[in-house]
Amino acid sequence: MSLAPSIIRCNMANIHSFESLAALDGEGIRYAVFFTRCPLRCVYCHNPDTWHAGKIEMSAAELFDKIKRYKPYFKNGGGVTFSGGEPLLSSRFINETCRLLKTENIGYCIDTSGSVRLDDEVKTALLNADMVILDIKFHNEADYKKYTGGDFSLPAEIGKFCSDNGKRLMLRSVIIPGINDNESDIKGYADYVKNLGLRFEKYELLAFHTMGFFKYDELGIDNPLKDTPPLDKEKLNALQDLLNSRLNGEKYVSDRQTD
Amino acid sequence: MNDNGNAWRDFNRGVWCDDINVSNFIKMNYTAYNGDHSFLEGPTERTKKEADRVKELLIAENKKGGVLDVDTSRVITILSHGPGYVVDKDTDIIVGLQTDEPLKRGVSPFAGIRNSVQACNAYGYEMSDKIKDEFKYRTTHNTGVFRAYTETMKKARHAGILTGLPDAYARGRIIGDYRRIALYGMDFLIEQKKLDKERLAEKEYLDEETIHLLEDLAKQIEFMYQLKELALLYGYDISKPAVNAFEAIQWLYFGYLGAVKEQNGAANSIGRIAEFIDIYIERDLREGKLSESEAQELIDDLVIKLRLVRHLRTPEYNDLFAGDPVWVTIALAGVTGEGKHMVSKTSYRVLNTLYNLGSSAEPNITVLWSERLPEPFKRFCAKVSIDTDSIQYENDDLMRRLYGDDYAIACCVSAMKMGKQMQFFGARCNLAKVLLMALNGGKDEIAGDQIAPEGMTFDEEILDFTQVYNEYKKYLKWMARLYVNTMNIIHYMHDKYAYERLMMSLHDTDVERLMAFGVSGFSVAVDSLSAIKYAKVKPIKDERGIITDFEIKGDFPKYGNDDDRADLIGKNLIEYFYRELCKTPAYRGAKHTLSILTITSNVMYGRKTGSTPDGRKAGEPFAPGANPMHGRDSQGALASLNSVAKLNYACCRDGISNTFSITPDALGSDEENRISNLVTMLDGYFVQDAHHLNVNVLNREKLIAAMADPTLYPSLTIRVSGYAVNFNKLTRDKQEEVVARTFHHSM
């Protein structure tokens, strides 16, 4: 099967699930919509059940009706989070939904791996977002290719586009024992984002966990990291400190926008 | 009332000076506080000493199996026991215990002698012959009720369709307006009651209700005098109004103490007292007579006394109301009819007792939430919830429309105007079991007895929704009529044989009466109907021809996911049942009200109910209150809240209880985020006219660890259903049910 990134163009979106209370630090209460389909096949994926289309087909109007119900909880900067899967594969759908969300003054965040081509629909989806959370999978092409199967140049383009357009940007990387938990990796991540010249608000490391393992069993697919333990919390904190110190002193943080 | 110059010095005068009108007094005199919690003080050395003594007592009580001591020698009444102290006369500030020793329980057989004997026996005590002899010549409430019960009522009760009724224990849920004692003094209150009685006697024709009321008033006055004597035993004269904050709290507490000595009703709530007390504290602070630390000490000491209130209960009673609750419910904050918030520094001081004295199930702190409460107060409440799991929230913006701005909460979710309304408590009927009865032509699916009139049988392969729903409605109609009539008997007898003399003396004479009906098994009934409507449900009959199981093919929408297909079934069901209840007149002109609240009886009701069409197996617990069924609310916390918010409070004005558990991580990664998200969540829920929320912020693993080793978390408090319990006081099956509930967690 082809893993080539492409945007699925249709009026209906295929959605994996919803989570009505998804907290995101500093961003209030969020309603998360998980799209299906992803161009990547990360070895450490904890949502392999979103790789392929599922049962829920929905139009933008239907999704809007659902989201609207949560407006009372969107004070203090809350709103929708489009996640997945890869939400930008559904950019056209997101843009259609966005037009409706605007009538109710509801904003959204995009939680993306950035592994899609930067076409007009994707640009619009990014430009309309209150914030973009970009997952920096790996800091070099070899690892990126090896562990995700994707095109290393795409997330860089997405990140730069957001940064250049003054989008609020938050970066994330999942740290996996034995794969990218060395100090040299952390330096690599720091250099990578510096070299791209990204302006972002926060760069957060997340610990690899095994809570999604059961999904591999349920789906009957091979879990390449089945013997990998979760990342130790203390180690994560130490690496986060290291990352912060490597990024420190330089102004990479964009000015927080207010609407 | 010119002689109250000293007691009322510096107060703004108003109509409250001439007539009993505490609400007017509060509104004319309270000080709204907009600041944060930084002014609060920790416990004094004295408070620590007293709190340590309480801790020892609680450990001893726990070691003895839950009851420290029982005085079986005499019946407990207002004047049965002399003074008792927690530490001693000099150390206790607010004084008064139910008996002569802390945690020693009294025997109160007025609601039922058999029940009292069993309660004594359950804890290894024997009721004295003296009490037994005294009650040989006295009819108890329980005896009266069973004299009048019809065969059908007995059957419905036995089968578990209508249970937990206050027919063998005292009804409770009546809140005396104890503030009146502090503001007016007993002499004025007695004088007013005498005047009421005189006026009543002037009627041309003394009909039965008038004669009834005349006798009530005589009983009330007798006990008002007794209350004065109780205070004198402790060295205080409460004839006159309180002159300072200490007296205001002590006078008010004497009233409450007298009430819990006279009555052992199921819930003994203390009402909306904090903002009232605050007026006295503010005056003392202004006059330089009190420091903040001393003000907190007064509140701490009152709360210590409230935490020590006990009644003697049977194991069957504990099955309904687990964890030895008293429901010393104290309502805080809210907003006035003019739109001004009523948060005072004492609202904060009451919450602060959970830090100064440690978390605790009692008193049952209930925040009357409004969008208009000041932000710092909302945030402090959220912080207290996150830290202690000890408080609950009820929607003031909703209740104020029906109950004005001087109402309080009795028990868990029952609103009533202070001193102006009382309630005839009525437990609940089992909606899920009524559905099974409809499917079985009026037969009990477990015992096989014909309880309700015979109806149709369901012989088709797959149940037809319209047929089932029409049949269900017929049985709900039957149930409603039986329920009201059963309640009418119960409360007739309770008024006759176990009347709350002191509590009712602290109400207006022309009190408004509410009759509170309730339902259990709500989410099971809703999901069952949804399954029949949207999936294919095949009934399976046993050899008796009774449907005892179901095969469900296909998926169906479930209540708790903000899906109208299921949620509106629930909304319509409850509205239908309420309308049916209203068709049968209630005793003494009471207004019908309805609650969706189970307390902890959801486990017992589940045990008495066969398998249901939603896939729940026979004997499995129901979800508590109006909660979606465990684990079926799969779209996250807010979807679950939105479903419950759709239920119509106008039909359920005795409360819609929702208990909500969320893990700390799901709420936010640090305290700051958790607090602001919880505040936002509460605002978002209540603005949709939702009624109630119990909030627990904890991990399931903690509860599992506490089950394995209770000594790990000796004071682990958790909100269950309209009240909080010490987790270790729950029986195993109830602990398991709590652990099985939905915990909203992060992905």
Side-chain angles (χ1 to χ4, degrees):
Chain A
M1 147 181 187
S2 163
L3 296 180
S6 67
I7 291 157
I8 289 149
R9 296 189 180 275
C10 61
N11 292 324
M12 303 289 273
N14 193 272
I15 290 165
H16 174 264
S17 58
F18 305 95
E19 168 55 54
S20 59
L21 175 65
L24 174 62
D25 287 357
E27 307 302 318
I29 285 178
R30 314 215 57 95
Y31 184 80
V33 179
F34 297 93
F35 289 95
T36 58
R37 299 194 190 95
C38 186
L40 304 182
R41 288 294 178 268
C42 303
V43 290
Y44 61 94
C45 182
H46 63 271
N47 284 326
D49 47 344
T50 62
W51 287 351
H52 302 293
K55 277 195 291 188
I56 310 174
E57 282 281 340
M58 213 174 240
S59 70
E62 285 169 328
L63 180 62
F64 172 63
D65 282 344
K66 221 170 156 61
I67 292 169
K68 228 173 25 179
R69 296 271 308 140
Y70 299 90
K71 198 183 168 191
Y73 304 98
F74 293 157
K75 292 202 302 188
N76 299 331
V80 184
T81 299
F82 290 120
S83 185
E86 174 48 61
L88 290 177
L89 289 180
S90 307
S91 289
R92 194 178 148 201
F93 179 85
I94 287 173
N95 295 335
E96 209 173 311
T97 311
C98 173
R99 281 191 284 279
L100 299 168
L101 290 176
K102 273 190 178 157
T103 64
E104 289 280 341
N105 277 321
I106 299 171
Y108 66 86
C109 290
I110 295 261
D111 181 1
T112 177
S113 66
S115 52
V116 295
R117 294 208 187 283
L118 190 61
D119 66 8
D120 286 350
E121 294 285 6
V122 171
K123 282 180 185 169
T124 308
L126 292 170
L127 288 174
N128 280 326
D130 293 340
M131 181 189 238
V132 175
I133 304 157
L134 179 64
D135 198 348
I136 308 286
K137 302 269 178 193
F138 292 93
H139 55 80
N140 62 69
E141 183 150 20
D143 282 347
Y144 194 88
K145 188 81 204 158
K146 180 175 170 194
Y147 294 116
T148 74
D151 179 345
F152 185 56
S153 67
L154 296 178
E157 261 181 68
I158 299 273
K160 280 179 68 150
F161 177 79
C162 294
S163 186
D164 293 348
N165 284 283
K167 272 290 112 186
R168 295 181 56 204
L169 186 62
M170 190 170 136
L171 306 179
R172 276 181 182 165
S173 295
V174 176
I175 303 300
I176 311 135
I179 292 184
N180 61 351
D181 62 340
N182 285 320
E183 292 193 0
S184 61
D185 284 308
I186 303 306
K187 289 169 192 163
Y189 281 111
D191 291 344
Y192 172 75
V193 300
K194 278 195 215 173
N195 292 337
L196 285 176
L198 295 187
R199 289 161 59 84
F200 56 91
E201 290 190 1
K202 193 173 166 186
Y203 190 164
E204 190 182 20
L205 300 182
L206 304 176
F208 171 77
H209 62 75
T210 58
M211 288 182 292
F213 275 18
F214 72 95
K215 296 176 183 171
Y216 283 86
D217 297 339
E218 279 179 9
L219 294 164
I221 52 179
D222 185 44
N223 177 2
L225 299 190
K226 61 175 179 296
D227 298 322
T228 305
L231 186 80
D232 179 69
K233 194 129 197 163
E234 274 173 34
K235 175 139 197 197
L236 180 81
N237 291 341
L239 294 177
Q240 181 76 59
D241 289 345
L242 177 65
L243 179 69
N244 293 349
S245 72
R246 294 292 293 190
L247 295 170
N248 207 13
E250 295 172 57
K251 172 88 177 149
Y252 287 107
V253 175
S254 65
D255 298 324
R256 202 182 162 112
Q257 292 177 334
T258 49
D259 36 16
Chain B
M1 295 206 64
N2 301 325
D3 57 339
N4 288 326
N6 183 39
W8 292 355
R9 69 188 182 280
D10 202 20
F11 286 158
N12 296 320
R13 303 299 164 109
V15 292
W16 64 270
C17 297
D18 304 312
D19 288 305
I20 298 171
N21 191 337
V22 184
S23 167
N24 176 254
F25 166 72
I26 294 173
K27 284 201 268 184
M28 296 211 56
N29 287 285
Y30 85 100
T31 310
Y33 177 66
N34 295 304
D36 66 13
H37 65 281
S38 55
F39 76 93
L40 289 169
E41 294 279 349
T44 60
E45 286 309 312
R46 189 216 64 86
T47 299
K48 283 187 201 160
K49 185 176 163 189
E50 185 140 340
D52 284 345
R53 173 75 188 125
V54 170
K55 211 174 277 172
E56 283 169 24
L57 285 162
L58 293 177
I59 291 169
E61 184 184 51
N62 213 23
K63 272 195 183 146
K64 280 201 73 186
V67 172
L68 186 64
D69 198 3
V70 182
D71 183 353
T72 57
S73 68
R74 57 196 141 158
V75 170
I76 183 171
T77 64
I78 294 186
L79 295 172
S80 58
H81 293 78
Y85 300 93
V86 177
V87 180
D88 55 49
K89 195 170 189 277
D90 298 322
T91 309
D92 288 25
I93 299 176
I94 303 301
V95 293
L97 296 175
Q98 287 163 293
T99 64
D100 47 2
E101 297 278 344
L103 301 186
K104 187 198 273 186
R105 300 178 195 226
V107 176
S108 180
F110 299 102
I113 182 75
R114 208 165 67 97
N115 215 273
S116 288
V117 171
Q118 285 169 352
C120 289
N121 294 345
Y123 295 98
Y125 294 85
E126 188 63 44
M127 186 187 279
S128 64
D129 291 340
K130 179 171 168 280
I131 301 180
K132 284 182 186 161
D133 279 349
E134 283 167 2
F135 275 82
K136 256 186 208 157
Y137 309 105
R138 215 196 132 95
T139 303
T140 66
H141 162 57
N142 174 250
T143 307
V145 170
F146 277 80
R147 280 175 187 158
Y149 264 171
T150 64
E151 285 312 305
T152 310
M153 288 171 184
K154 286 185 202 165
K155 273 193 199 166
R157 186 183 181 276
H158 181 73
I161 303 168
L162 203 55
T163 49
L165 299 168
D167 56 12
Y169 64 91
R171 60 192 170 193
R173 279 215 195 156
I174 295 172
I175 314 172
D177 188 356
Y178 307 110
R179 306 168 305 183
R180 292 180 180 187
I181 304 170
L183 185 57
Y184 298 104
M186 285 307 290
D187 284 354
F188 177 71
L189 299 178
I190 292 171
E191 191 189 313
Q192 293 300 307
K193 283 290 177 186
K194 284 181 173 169
L195 280 172
D196 286 348
K197 192 160 179 267
E198 273 171 37
R199 274 185 216 125
L200 204 58
E202 283 164 11
K203 276 176 82 169
E204 193 77 18
Y205 166 64
L206 300 185
D207 59 8
E208 196 172 341
E209 176 54 32
T210 310
I211 297 167
H212 192 162
L213 197 52
L214 284 169
E215 194 189 10
D216 285 350
L217 281 167
K219 289 176 184 169
Q220 290 176 17
I221 293 163
E222 182 192 342
F223 273 62
M224 292 169 98
Y225 280 112
Q226 287 195 18
L227 186 67
K228 278 176 55 165
E229 276 184 62
L230 171 69
L232 282 174
L233 287 176
Y234 284 91
Y236 292 103
D237 181 3
I238 59 170
S239 308
K240 298 282 170 276
V243 299
N244 56 31
F246 159 72
E247 284 194 1
I249 298 170
Q250 180 69 67
W251 275 208
L252 182 157
Y253 175 66
F254 274 134
Y256 180 76
L257 180 67
V260 292
K261 282 164 73 74
E262 186 210 338
Q263 271 289 335
N264 66 346
N268 300 120
S269 303
I270 196 162
R272 193 163 178 170
I273 57 169
E275 293 72 29
F276 171 82
I277 291 172
D278 192 73
I279 297 168
Y280 288 84
I281 291 180
E282 278 293 316
R283 188 175 66 177
D284 284 5
L285 287 168
R286 272 200 307 277
E287 292 175 346
K289 291 177 183 163
L290 202 68
S291 67
E292 178 53 40
S293 177
E294 287 164 336
Q296 182 66 51
E297 188 174 43
L298 287 173
I299 301 296
D300 285 345
D301 211 48
L302 171 66
V303 164
I304 284 176
K305 300 302 173 308
L306 298 179
R307 288 185 180 189
L308 293 175
V309 177
R310 292 291 185 278
H311 294 299
L312 185 64
R313 308 295 193 194
T314 60
E316 292 73 27
Y317 180 95
N318 294 335
D319 211 23
L320 298 171
F321 311 129
D324 207 12
V326 180
W327 282 286
V328 192
T329 308
I330 173 168
L332 298 179
V335 170
T336 67
E338 295 75 36
K340 201 176 148 205
H341 78 77
M342 294 178 85
V343 173
S344 72
K345 282 190 169 176
T346 301
S347 326
Y348 277 92
R349 292 182 187 112
V350 170
L351 291 167
N352 192 35
T353 61
L354 290 165
Y355 293 110
N356 283 358
L357 308 172
S359 64
S360 167
E362 301 279 5
N364 183 17
I365 299 176
T366 304
V367 176
L368 305 177
W369 189 272
S370 162
E371 268 202 298
R372 296 192 210 176
L373 295 185
E375 213 55 31
F377 183 71
K378 288 182 179 176
R379 293 179 56 82
F380 187 58
C381 291
K383 178 179 157 55
V384 172
S385 264
I386 292 164
D387 291 341
T388 69
D389 299 321
S390 297
I391 62 176
Q392 65 176 352
Y393 301 90
E394 298 185 22
N395 189 353
D396 182 61
D397 295 329
L398 185 65
M399 290 184 286
R400 205 169 60 241
R401 288 178 221 152
L402 289 169
Y403 296 98
D405 56 13
D406 192 41
Y407 66 91
I409 302 298
C411 191
C412 309
V413 290
S414 305
M416 56 195 74
K417 293 177 187 172
M418 289 283 287
K420 297 185 180 304
Q421 289 177 326
M422 62 83 72
Q423 174 183 115
F424 295 134
F425 165 57
R428 44 206 60 84
C429 78
N430 184 339
L431 285 184
K433 200 167 167 93
V434 176
L435 176 62
L436 295 180
M437 210 160 64
L439 291 173
N440 286 307
K443 285 195 176 116
D444 175 7
E445 77 287 355
I446 294 175
D449 303 339
Q450 189 74 40
I451 293 174
E454 269 183 58
M456 67 174 282
T457 54
F458 287 82
D459 301 319
E460 305 292 321
E461 173 80 3
I462 300 294
L463 292 173
D464 173 73
F465 176 74
T466 310
Q467 251 180 12
V468 171
Y469 200 54
N470 285 338
E471 207 55 18
Y472 189 27
K473 280 194 193 162
K474 278 187 212 161
Y475 283 92
L476 286 171
K477 200 187 244 313
W478 168 84
M479 178 81 262
R481 191 174 148 263
L482 179 73
Y483 194 0
V484 181
N485 284 324
T486 306
M487 287 275 280
N488 286 347
I489 290 180
I490 291 171
H491 292 286
Y492 174 92
M493 294 301 172
H494 203 293
D495 271 0
K496 195 169 178 185
Y497 298 113
Y499 181 64
E500 296 84 349
R501 292 158 289 204
L502 184 58
M503 287 182 192
M504 292 312 298
S505 79
L506 298 169
H507 281 76
D508 292 356
T509 296
D510 59 342
V511 69
E512 191 186 336
R513 298 178 180 88
L514 308 170
M515 188 173 274
F517 300 89
V519 296
S520 71
F522 176 72
S523 50
V524 171
V526 176
D527 286 353
S528 292
L529 291 170
S530 177
I532 295 168
K533 188 167 182 180
Y534 294 102
K536 290 198 177 341
V537 178
K538 178 185 168 189
I540 297 167
K541 294 187 178 180
D542 67 2
E543 62 287 351
R544 300 171 300 175
I546 290 177
I547 301 171
T548 51
D549 209 351
F550 301 89
E551 267 177 35
I552 304 139
K553 281 205 188 101
D555 204 3
F556 57 94
K558 288 147 196 134
Y559 168 67
N561 296 294
D562 198 16
D563 185 332
D564 277 352
R565 290 174 299 166
D567 299 347
L568 294 187
I569 291 177
K571 183 175 185 289
N572 294 336
L573 171 64
I574 209 74
E575 287 173 3
Y576 176 81
F577 189 57
Y578 179 65
R579 281 197 304 274
E580 285 304 317
L581 285 168
C582 292
K583 287 179 182 168
T584 308
Y587 166 68
R588 262 187 133 172
K591 180 173 173 52
H592 305 70
T593 66
L594 178 62
S595 70
I596 313 181
L597 164 82
T598 56
I599 316 210
T600 54
S601 63
N602 57 309
V603 178
M604 180 276 289
Y605 275 107
R607 209 155 53 221
K608 292 189 171 193
T609 307
S611 298
T612 38
D614 59 336
R616 179 196 142 276
K617 291 296 164 195
E620 287 179 5
F622 294 164
N627 272 60
M629 196 59 178
H630 310 331
R632 286 190 198 156
D633 38 357
S634 58
Q635 300 216 2
L638 304 186
S640 180
L641 293 183
N642 278 4
S643 283
V644 182
K646 285 176 200 168
L647 303 173
N648 182 358
Y649 183 69
C651 293
C652 298
R653 54 179 278 187
D654 196 43
I656 300 166
S657 173
N658 188 8
T659 301
F660 178 87
S661 300
I662 187 164
T663 65
D665 287 348
L667 200 52
S669 67
D670 59 19
E671 192 188 28
E672 171 55 36
N673 277 298
R674 284 173 197 150
I675 288 174
S676 55
N677 285 343
L678 183 52
V679 168
T680 310
M681 202 182 84
L682 288 165
D683 272 338
Y685 179 57
F686 287 134
V687 80
Q688 301 179 60
D689 279 355
H691 179 235
H692 163 256
L693 198 66
N694 269 315
V695 176
N696 291 308
V697 182
L698 79 174
N699 288 303
R700 182 180 273 131
E701 290 69 30
K702 187 172 180 181
L703 299 182
I704 294 170
M707 279 172 79
D709 182 3
T711 61
L712 279 178
Y713 306 106
S715 62
L716 178 58
T717 308
I718 173 169
R719 304 282 325 171
V720 282
S721 176
Y723 71 115
V725 288
N726 180 312
F727 187 69
N728 299 319
K729 282 190 180 182
L730 292 178
T731 53
R732 193 79 184 175
D733 58 341
K734 293 200 177 63
Q735 286 183 336
E736 280 168 1
E737 185 269 323
V738 167
V739 168
R741 290 181 187 179
T742 306
F743 280 65
H744 296 287
H745 57 84
S746 58
M747 298 150 295

